[in-house]
Amino acid sequence: MGAGRIIPTEPTKARLASGEVVNRRTFFSRASMFGAGLLGTTKTPAGFWITAGDTISTSNSKMEEKPVAFTVPPLTYPFDALEPYIDAKTMEIHHDKHHGAYVTNLNKALEGHADLQSKSIDDILKGLDSVPENIRSAVRNNGGGHWNHSLFWTLMKKGGGGEPKGDLGSAINSTFGSFSAFQEKFSAAGVGRFGSGWAWLIVKDGKLVIDSTPNQDTPYMLGGKAVLGLDVWEHAYYLKYQNVRPEYIKQWWNVVDWDKAAELYAAAKK
């Protein structure tokens, strides 16, 4: 017998064959999930997210997957597509973990509410007053986080930036005097948002308006329709820009997808 080698007994062989014995990684994965289950109705901590690669299975058992109302939309570009303005690691954490946590918590809040689970996120947020009071804050915060981020990813692209053209460009110039004046006012809305939140260009009462919202409140709370949105939560920029939010906003203009913004503007005017 070689030093340190362990020969399994016949009962152990049988348990191995049946899948009863699990390896160290599977054991700790199960233990983590069990521990999470003990949290009951507490919110999933920001950053908690099980990715597609973290599946858990044995030869004789398979976890039952419950259908969920909402999922994180995949990015249409690689994590490093917005370099050097937004780094790949920030994009990965922001999309997979932060956005993922909002979706996880939203689905958790909606458990047992089939009427809400069948609605679009837009309809839920437009009708927050009709959401049961005991879950309303969770739906507002996490549903808003899901809505805001789902839009945010589409408003950026590799090779973006420049100035908008067409109807949106004309509307910005006529409303704010010039594109540079618009940039200055929009950037100020982002810098001036105390704590965490969003800066917005919206259509309200048929006109372009710059505004901001706290936390994960959406333009629906402003009575408008979004044309452009900027996440100014620190998780959107801290790895690269630390606490220098103005520099993050300055560099963000280089990745704005004005074609998408023009599309949203055209829809908002209808």
Side-chain angles (χ1 to χ4, degrees):
M1 181 183 300
R5 184 182 177 191
I6 299 174
I7 304 299
T9 63
E10 290 304 317
T12 302
K13 289 180 180 179
R15 290 165 64 207
L16 284 167
S18 68
E20 183 182 343
V21 175
V22 297
N23 60 34
R24 179 183 178 88
R25 179 181 177 184
T26 303
F27 172 80
F28 284 110
S29 296
R30 287 178 175 173
S32 297
M33 292 191 67
F34 177 72
L38 293 178
L39 295 175
T41 58
T42 57
K43 292 183 180 179
T44 306
F48 175 84
W49 186 242
I50 299 176
T51 64
D54 293 328
T55 55
I56 304 170
S57 64
T58 66
S59 59
N60 286 347
S61 64
K62 184 176 181 179
M63 290 183 61
E64 180 182 355
E65 295 183 0
K66 294 182 179 180
V68 292
F70 298 101
T71 58
V72 179
L75 292 177
T76 58
Y77 44 81
F79 291 132
D80 64 356
L82 307 182
E83 293 268 14
Y85 311 108
I86 301 180
D87 61 286
K89 194 62 179 178
T90 292
M91 286 298 298
E92 179 182 0
I93 295 172
H94 197 175
H95 178 269
D96 289 4
K97 297 187 181 294
H98 288 283
H99 190 172
Y102 290 126
V103 170
T104 296
N105 289 332
L106 174 61
N107 286 325
K108 186 177 183 64
L110 296 180
E111 287 178 1
H113 298 274
D115 56 328
L116 295 176
Q117 290 174 322
S118 66
K119 291 184 177 181
S120 69
I121 189 60
D122 294 82
D123 288 342
I124 291 175
L125 294 172
K126 288 176 184 177
L128 269 176
D129 289 344
S130 64
V131 174
E133 188 175 357
N134 66 316
I135 64 168
R136 191 176 301 157
S137 291
V139 171
R140 175 177 176 173
N141 294 333
N142 295 292
H146 176 43
W147 191 96
N148 289 341
H149 284 89
S150 295
L151 179 68
F152 185 54
W153 311 132
T154 70
L155 284 166
M156 300 182 291
K157 69 177 182 179
K158 183 180 180 66
E163 298 184 20
K165 297 178 173 57
D167 290 346
L168 176 57
S170 298
I172 285 176
N173 288 331
S174 62
T175 302
F176 304 104
S178 66
F179 178 70
S180 60
F182 156 72
Q183 275 189 310
E184 183 178 346
K185 292 177 181 178
F186 186 93
S187 297
V191 172
R193 166 45 58 189
F194 180 77
S196 301
W198 294 73
W200 299 103
L201 175 66
I202 62 175
V203 172
K204 183 176 182 179
D205 300 326
K207 300 178 181 179
L208 284 176
V209 175
I210 292 172
D211 210 332
S212 69
T213 55
N215 302 316
Q216 292 297 348
D217 283 354
T218 70
Y220 292 129
M221 308 293 286
L222 303 171
K225 296 180 179 179
V227 174
L228 190 67
L230 171 60
D231 188 349
V232 294
W233 282 64
E234 283 192 341
H235 65 231
Y237 60 88
Y238 201 85
L239 288 183
K240 185 173 180 67
Y241 299 101
Q242 286 75 55
N243 63 331
V244 189
R245 185 188 291 180
E247 184 63 20
Y248 156 66
I249 295 175
K250 177 182 177 181
Q251 298 303 327
W252 173 78
W253 290 109
N254 291 293
V255 298
V256 172
D257 186 345
W258 287 113
D259 292 334
K260 178 62 178 179
E263 178 186 316
L264 292 171
Y265 176 63
K269 291 192 301 177
K270 294 179 180 178

